[in-house]
Amino acid sequence: MTSTARPHLNRRLAEFGTTIFAEMSALAVQTGSINLGQGFPDTDGPEEIREAAVRALRDGRGNQYPPGPGVPELRAAIAAHQQRRYALTYDPDTEVLVTAGATEAIAAALLALLEPGDEVIAFEPYYDSYAACIAMAGGTRVPVTLRPDGDSFRLDLDELRAAVTDRTRLLLINTPHNPTGTVLTREELTAIAELAVERDLLVVTDEVYEHLVFDDAEHIPLATFPGMRDRTVTIGSAGKTFSFTGWKVGWVTASPSLVSAVRSAKQFLTYVASGPFQYAVAEALALPDSYFEAFRADMRAKRDVLASGLAEAGFGVFRTAGTYFITTDIRPLGAELSQGGDGFAFCRALPERAGVVAIPNAVFYDHREAGAPFVRFAFCKQTGVLEEAVKRLKALAG
Ligand SMILES: *Cc1c(COP(=O)(O)O)cnc(C)c1O
C-alpha cells in the first residue's frame, strides 16, 4: 500500500473525523440562521477584565512564555477561589496547574493517568472531547447513560456500579452537565464518591459550569466528599464563568502527585498558553460575589425566555438546572415536523425550515438510539436573539 491508499487519519481517531459543530455552523452561515448550536456567548465578559488583559499586554506581563504551571498571581487566585467558594485548600505551588482551557486539562489528565486498555466510565450524552481524548490516550470508554426521568435526565446509580470492572481506572464526571443541564445532587455525588473510594478509582471532574446553577440547584465539587480530595482532578475554566471563551484559560486543582502527573503531559501539549489573559483571569476570579450573582441571574432569565418559547412552540422541554443549554424532545412536535423523532434529520432541516440551528444530542452518545429524539439549544445569547429564534420556531409549528 502507498501512503495515499491508507487513510491519513489513524484508527484511534477515525470515528472522530468531523464534528457536527462544523457542519451546523456552516449551515447557519449558508442559510442566515440564528445559531443556537455552539455554546459561546454573543456578549463579552466584564469590561474591567478586558481592560486588565489590555493592561497586562501593554505592561509586558505574559507576552513571553509564562511559567509552566501558570503565573503565580493566577495560581494564587485559583486557590483562593476554591477556598472562598468551597472551603477546599490547595497549595498554589504544588496543587494548581493552569491549562489552555478546560479542553487541554481534560486531554492532559487522560493522557497522563491512563495506561492503554484502562477503562474510563463517562456519562452519556458526553461532551465531545471526552471520547476523542480517551481514544488518544489508548483507553476504553464505558458509557453510562443518563435517562429522562420526569423533567430531567438522571443517573442510574446501579448501572454506574455495575459498569465498574477490574480494568476501570477512572470516572470522568461532568456536573453541571452539558448537554442535559443536569446538576448532580448531594445524594448522587455521595454515592459516586463512595464507589470511587470502595473501588479505588481516580476521578476527573469537569466543573466548567460551576457558577451556572439555577433555582435551588447547588454545585458541590466532588473533591469535597470524604476520601475524594486526593483522588480527584478538578477542572475549571474562565471561558464559561467570565464569558471569554476565546481566551482559553483553564485549570486543574488536585493533590501534588496528580498535578505533577497532569503537568507532565501538559508540558508537551501546549507547554504554556494565554500569558496576558492569565493575569486578567486572576483579577476576574477575585471579583465580588455580586458579579457571579448578576451573571447567574442574567443567564437564568435567558434560560426562561428560551425554555418557555420552546414549550410554546411545541417541544418537550427538560429543566436546565445548570449550564447554558436546554435539551428538548422533538417528538411532541408530531411525526412529520419531528422527522419521525430523528434529531439528526430534524437539525439538518431546521435551518432551511425555520432559520434556527440546533445540535442533535445523538452525536454525544455511543448508544445513538438512546439520544435520537433529543435536540440541544444554547441560551447564552442576547435576549432579542432568543426572542427572534422563538418566533421563528413557533412559526414552524404553525
Ligand atoms: C466548553 C466546555 C469545555 C471546554 O472549556 P474550554 O475552557 O473552552 O476549553 C469543557 N467541558 C465542557 C463540559 C464544556 O462545555
Side-chain angles (χ1 to χ4, degrees):
M1 270 221 257
T2 70
S3 64
T4 50
R6 182 175 133 187
H8 291 158
L9 185 61
N10 68 38
R11 257 178 281 149
R12 286 194 308 286
L13 293 180
E15 64 173 304
F16 308 110
T18 45
T19 82
I20 189 80
F21 297 104
E23 181 187 343
M24 288 299 161
S25 292
L27 260 181
V29 172
Q30 261 171 47
T31 56
S33 292
I34 296 176
N35 192 348
L36 303 186
Q38 210 166 3
F40 60 87
D42 62 355
T43 311
D44 284 350
E47 181 60 31
E48 75 253 45
I49 301 306
R50 274 205 300 195
E51 286 306 317
V54 171
R55 230 184 313 117
L57 215 132
R58 287 226 175 89
D59 295 348
R61 286 177 295 142
N63 291 329
Q64 309 303 332
Y65 293 138
V71 303
E73 288 85 344
L74 178 53
R75 280 184 281 121
I78 292 164
H81 172 271
Q82 298 305 86
Q83 184 73 54
R84 165 178 151 203
R85 296 275 157 192
Y86 310 120
L88 281 166
T89 307
Y90 289 102
D91 178 346
D93 290 328
T94 57
E95 299 186 312
V96 177
L97 174 67
V98 177
T99 56
T103 305
E104 188 192 37
I106 294 160
L110 295 171
L111 287 167
L113 301 175
L114 295 179
E115 294 290 353
D118 281 349
E119 291 178 1
V120 177
I121 295 176
F123 306 147
E124 73 172 357
Y126 37 60
Y127 182 63
D128 61 344
S129 84
Y130 298 172
C133 287
I134 294 168
M136 286 193 272
T140 302
R141 66 180 185 270
V142 177
V144 170
T145 309
L146 302 182
R147 298 188 194 281
D149 178 2
D151 64 356
S152 64
F153 284 77
R154 306 284 7 146
L155 171 66
D156 181 335
L157 289 166
D158 291 329
E159 208 176 315
L160 176 64
R161 287 187 199 102
V164 178
T165 73
D166 294 342
R167 290 178 305 279
T168 309
R169 174 65 169 159
L170 188 153
L171 304 178
L172 178 51
I173 307 290
N174 172 217
T175 184
H177 183 261
N178 172 5
T180 63
T182 294
V183 175
L184 295 176
T185 63
R186 184 178 293 281
E187 291 66 38
E188 289 165 333
L189 291 164
T190 300
I192 292 169
E194 284 170 1
L195 181 65
V197 170
E198 182 195 319
R199 304 299 298 261
D200 195 20
L201 306 175
L202 295 175
V203 175
V204 173
T205 171
D206 176 345
E207 304 185 358
V208 301
Y209 296 103
E210 63 190 305
H211 289 287
L212 278 174
V213 291
F214 309 119
D215 311 323
D216 53 359
E218 186 190 2
H219 173 69
I220 315 169
L222 255 174
T224 61
F225 287 79
M228 293 305 287
R229 188 192 179 282
D230 291 340
R231 66 176 69 246
T232 302
V233 174
T234 303
I235 295 173
S237 170
K240 308 290 166 53
T241 297
F242 301 110
S243 301
F244 290 116
T245 57
W247 288 8
K248 297 300 289 189
V249 177
W251 52 85
V252 161
T253 49
S255 69
S257 70
L258 282 170
V259 160
S260 153
V262 176
R263 192 170 58 226
S264 296
K266 184 258 184 302
Q267 67 192 336
F268 300 115
L269 294 174
T270 58
Y271 177 45
V272 291
S274 311
F277 298 129
Q278 292 192 27
Y279 292 96
V281 171
E283 293 190 28
L285 284 167
L287 284 170
D289 289 350
S290 56
Y291 164 75
F292 297 91
E293 281 155 22
F295 177 57
R296 195 194 318 242
D298 180 47
M299 284 294 175
R300 187 180 54 220
K302 290 175 191 294
R303 176 201 66 174
D304 292 345
V305 167
L306 186 60
S308 57
L310 288 166
E312 283 165 32
F315 290 81
V317 178
F318 291 96
R319 188 171 53 82
T320 291
T323 75
Y324 39 48
F325 300 107
I326 293 175
T327 284
T328 60
D329 186 339
I330 58 175
R331 288 171 297 187
L333 292 169
E336 197 188 331
L337 266 184
S338 77
Q339 312 259 23
D342 177 347
F344 268 109
F346 180 82
C347 288
R348 288 208 169 97
L350 196 61
E352 198 61 60
R353 289 160 88 196
V356 175
V357 164
I359 297 291
N361 282 24
V363 299
F364 306 124
Y365 286 77
D366 280 313
H367 304 103
R368 296 230 152 167
E369 69 293 345
F374 306 121
V375 165
R376 187 191 84 174
F377 293 85
F379 57 81
C380 47
K381 309 291 173 183
Q382 293 173 49
T383 305
V385 173
L386 297 174
E387 284 166 349
E388 174 60 26
V390 163
K391 201 172 100 194
R392 295 182 185 189
L393 290 167
K394 281 191 199 162
L396 170 75

